[in-house]
């Protein structure tokens, strides 16, 4: 049977996608398989049981009698192969961060990027620049993840919620990835373009497009204009 797992999905949603499309496995089977230690990846940090971000989103063909463990191991192996190919074994040398941290960055890039392809690299660069400056990342997708939501408006109390994923109040990366990153997002995280950008703001919905800037004033101006135009 054919199973399609979508880029950017949270792990729980991806597991639901698998269970819906495969006749032999239930969500409970998949959760048990991940929790049992039967699925392995060299990119899963020692002591971590959270598989978020470490299964590769793609379209797969599985036999109808495939087990939950077989399905998940194939997806974990696919992610390891892609990471190997992109140079994640040399993450520390290339980017000064662990492979797991780069997967976490890629997952944020996946959730935040608009339509233009080059935005992936630009968003990755903004994340690196903010980390280097010790600035909170302020990425709404991480806040939503910490609240257990995929999308929607954030209220003031949401923005102040003390979760490990609140990147407005906490400096540094969230503790885990926040979704399953695509190959393009993983590429952006390990090989971002140079640039001084510190901010980005959505300036169009059709197609979704961001303005990137190193100037806080320009960022605020663009944000006000976008809000006035009903972009968000």
């Amino acid at each position: 049977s054919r199973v399609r797992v979508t880029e950017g999905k949270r792990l729980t949603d991806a597991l639901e996608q698998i269970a819906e499309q495969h006749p032999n496995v239930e969500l409970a089977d998949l959760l048990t398989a991940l929790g049992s230690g039967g699925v392995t990846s060299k990119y899963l940090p020692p002591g971590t049981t959270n598989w978020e971000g470490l299964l590769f989103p793609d379209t797969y063909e599985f036999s109808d009698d495939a087990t939950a463990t077989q399905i998940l191991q194939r997806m974990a192996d696919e992610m390891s192969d892609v990471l190997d190919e992109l140079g994640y074994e040399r993450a520390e040398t290339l980017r000064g961060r662990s492979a797991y941290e780069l997967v976490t960055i890629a997952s944020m890039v996946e959730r935040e990027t608009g339509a233009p392809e080059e935005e992936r690299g630009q968003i990755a660069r903004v994340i690196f620049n903010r980390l280097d400056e010790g600035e909170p990342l302020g990425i709404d997708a991480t806040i939503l993840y910490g609240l257990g939501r995929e999308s929607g408006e954030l209220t003031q109390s949401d923005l102040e919620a003390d979760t490990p994923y609140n990147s407005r109040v906490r400096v540094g990366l969230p503790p885990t990835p926040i979704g399953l990153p695509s190959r393009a997002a993983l590429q952006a995280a390990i090989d971002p373009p140079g640039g001084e950008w510190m901010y980005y703001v959505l300036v169009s919905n059709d197609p979704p497009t961001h303005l990137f800037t190193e100037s806080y004033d320009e960022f605020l101006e663009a944000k006000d204009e976008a809000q006035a135009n009903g972009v968000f």
Side-chain angles (χ1 to χ4, degrees):
S1 57
R2 177 168 289 196
V3 173
R4 168 89 180 108
V5 176
T6 322
E7 292 95 346
K9 283 284 181 202
R10 298 177 302 176
L11 180 65
T12 49
D13 297 328
L15 297 179
E16 282 174 9
Q17 282 187 318
I18 298 165
E20 280 164 14
Q21 296 172 75
H22 197 281
N24 193 40
V25 297
E26 304 288 330
L27 181 59
D29 303 329
L30 294 162
L31 290 167
T32 302
L34 285 181
S36 69
V39 183
T40 60
S41 166
K42 67 180 177 185
Y43 287 103
L44 184 71
T48 302
T49 53
N50 187 332
W51 275 86
E52 186 65 78
L54 293 176
L55 304 177
F56 191 65
D58 205 349
T59 301
Y60 296 88
E61 290 285 347
F62 294 111
S63 64
D64 283 353
D65 60 356
T67 66
T69 301
Q70 288 168 334
I71 289 169
L72 294 165
Q73 188 62 59
R74 167 102 177 274
M75 295 175 69
D77 289 346
E78 190 68 27
M79 179 58 92
S80 293
D81 289 349
V82 170
L83 294 176
D84 287 353
E85 210 178 301
L86 293 175
Y88 272 65
E89 287 174 299
R90 304 197 338 276
E92 290 281 3
T93 311
L94 293 170
R95 286 271 76 85
R97 293 191 174 272
S98 71
Y100 189 69
E101 288 178 314
L102 292 186
V103 172
T104 300
I105 290 170
S107 74
M108 293 189 278
V109 168
E110 187 67 54
R111 298 286 306 170
E112 291 283 290
T113 298
E117 291 289 316
E118 68 274 10
E119 283 200 2
R120 289 193 185 92
Q122 290 175 295
I123 286 176
R125 173 50 64 195
V126 170
I127 292 171
F128 281 110
N129 288 348
R130 294 184 76 86
L131 289 169
D132 290 347
E133 292 291 323
E135 292 278 339
L137 296 177
I139 289 178
D140 289 350
T142 66
I143 300 173
L144 284 164
Y145 186 89
L147 297 167
R149 301 193 336 238
E150 191 171 11
S151 58
E153 294 292 311
L154 287 164
T155 64
Q156 195 56 42
S157 65
D158 289 341
L159 296 177
E160 292 163 6
D162 187 23
T163 81
Y165 293 88
N166 190 334
S167 60
R168 290 203 184 199
V169 297
R170 289 173 186 247
V171 174
L173 290 171
T176 70
I178 60 167
L180 306 187
S182 65
R183 183 191 184 91
L186 291 163
Q187 172 75 47
I190 197 157
D191 188 23
E196 302 296 313
W197 313 292
M198 289 290 287
Y199 310 95
Y200 57 89
V201 59
L202 190 68
V203 289
S204 165
N205 275 319
D206 189 23
T209 309
H210 293 87
L211 169 99
F212 292 83
T213 178
E214 57 189 289
S215 154
Y216 186 62
D217 289 341
E218 188 184 3
F219 162 74
L220 286 180
E221 203 173 297
K223 185 178 173 185
D224 288 346
E225 192 176 323
Q227 282 177 322
N229 293 337
V231 174
F232 57 87

